[in-house]
Amino acid sequence: MPSQSHLSSDHQLKIPWLPILATEHRSWVIQALQVSEATAGELVCRVGAEPTHWIGVLEGLVKMSGFAANGRTVTFAGFPSGGWFGEGTILKGESYRYEIQVLQPGLLARLPVTVFHRLLEESIEFNRFLMRQFNERLGQFIAYKAAEQTLGVEEQLARALCTLFDPVLYPAAAPVLRITQQELAYLVGTSRQQINQALGLLREAGAAEAAYGGVRLLDYQCLRNVGTRG
DNA sequence: CCATTAAACACCC
DNA sequence: GGGTGTTTAATGG
């Protein structure tokens, strides 16, 4: 078990829903949140386990994945810094149906489900945040389903990268996203070769390019355009 | 039959 | 040591 600590003011800045809470609610949360380091490859949620916390990424990158009928690995979503996940499982009172694994090491924050439920009961602002998150995610999945049928690997990759390079959370810097081409292949549902080729096309388009062990964003707007054409 | 993919390999960070 | 690019043999539409 990794060592846990409480929330520093530096960490607080990396939680997008914290500022919107009323001060009273915010003080419970800050007291209840636990921060721990996440190492690459670490399994954050196991299939079948009961959720005890709502979990967020302060730094690093985490994936939600499972296996297809033929045994192939399928990644359903990637959560970058600022991402929070597992609320659906908590709300339904179920156990995890997919596994959550760390791709890029970093920091995770955990909010006990009891506090989660209390916020749900008492904070309009928290409900608003969750509703926005559900709405965005639903839109993403519908768009993803549409893209799956109609678009090529280049467009699908552009979409996947757009969700990982969140412009709201990274307004200034043009960071290199640390993710292997194999993981991108799991995410898009194709092979490593296809990803490599698509990265070449994205470079020609001026949207993004392959960096060692990751992808460098060149032009977010351009990446969006590639992902929405068709 | 052609395209795609997984596996194996050798380089490079 | 792990990620990448490339080759090759198998696989599947």
Side-chain angles (χ1 to χ4, degrees):
Chain A
M1 199 62 177
S3 67
Q4 297 205 330
S5 68
H6 286 282
L7 205 64
S8 73
S9 55
D10 188 42
H11 295 150
Q12 293 181 27
L13 298 173
K14 294 168 180 167
I15 302 176
W17 48 273
L18 207 50
I20 68 169
L21 296 183
T23 42
E24 180 203 355
H25 299 147
R26 190 158 59 232
S27 61
W28 309 338
V29 166
I30 289 170
Q31 200 175 6
L33 274 170
Q34 292 278 319
V35 176
S36 66
E37 287 188 14
T39 58
E42 181 182 330
L43 215 51
V44 179
C45 302
R46 291 186 159 73
V47 176
E50 298 287 333
T52 58
H53 296 79
W54 189 42
I55 307 174
V57 183
L58 299 187
E59 288 167 20
L61 180 64
V62 149
K63 70 167 178 177
M64 179 195 295
S65 63
F67 297 95
N70 56 13
R72 277 239 313 258
T73 302
V74 183
T75 297
F76 304 108
F79 301 111
S81 304
W84 286 75
F85 54 85
E87 66 280 350
T89 306
I90 295 172
L91 286 171
K92 286 183 286 187
E94 293 181 345
S95 52
Y96 291 117
R97 302 171 66 172
Y98 308 107
E99 66 175 37
I100 303 281
Q101 196 174 12
V102 176
L103 289 185
Q104 188 200 337
L107 280 176
L108 297 179
R110 288 177 169 84
L111 185 75
V113 288
T114 51
V115 180
F116 179 90
H117 278 120
R118 195 168 163 200
L119 281 175
L120 210 59
E121 289 295 319
E122 299 190 24
S123 171
I124 287 280
E125 295 83 0
F126 187 68
N127 279 273
R128 227 176 255 144
F129 173 84
L130 279 184
M131 199 186 288
R132 213 194 66 204
Q133 169 150 318
F134 287 139
N135 197 32
E136 276 177 11
R137 216 162 263 169
L138 181 62
Q140 270 177 20
F141 279 117
I142 290 175
Y144 176 79
K145 188 68 182 166
E148 189 180 11
Q149 308 293 334
T150 58
L151 302 181
V153 175
E154 183 191 5
E155 290 85 357
Q156 290 186 58
L157 177 61
R159 285 187 160 281
L161 291 175
C162 275
T163 68
L164 296 177
F165 287 115
D166 193 320
V168 179
L169 295 163
Y170 300 104
V176 173
L177 180 69
R178 295 277 306 175
I179 186 172
T180 67
Q181 294 179 15
Q182 179 65 72
E183 290 299 342
L184 289 172
Y186 291 146
L187 189 57
V188 175
T190 185
S191 65
R192 203 159 65 93
Q193 287 102 317
Q194 296 263 33
I195 293 295
N196 192 250
Q197 188 190 347
L199 281 172
L201 292 173
L202 287 179
R203 179 174 154 74
E204 283 179 32
E209 65 182 3
Y212 188 83
V215 178
R216 181 179 298 107
L217 181 66
L218 297 178
D219 183 341
Y220 182 79
Q221 203 44 247
C222 181
L223 193 64
R224 272 194 77 83
N225 291 339
V226 174
T228 53
R229 77 181 176 211

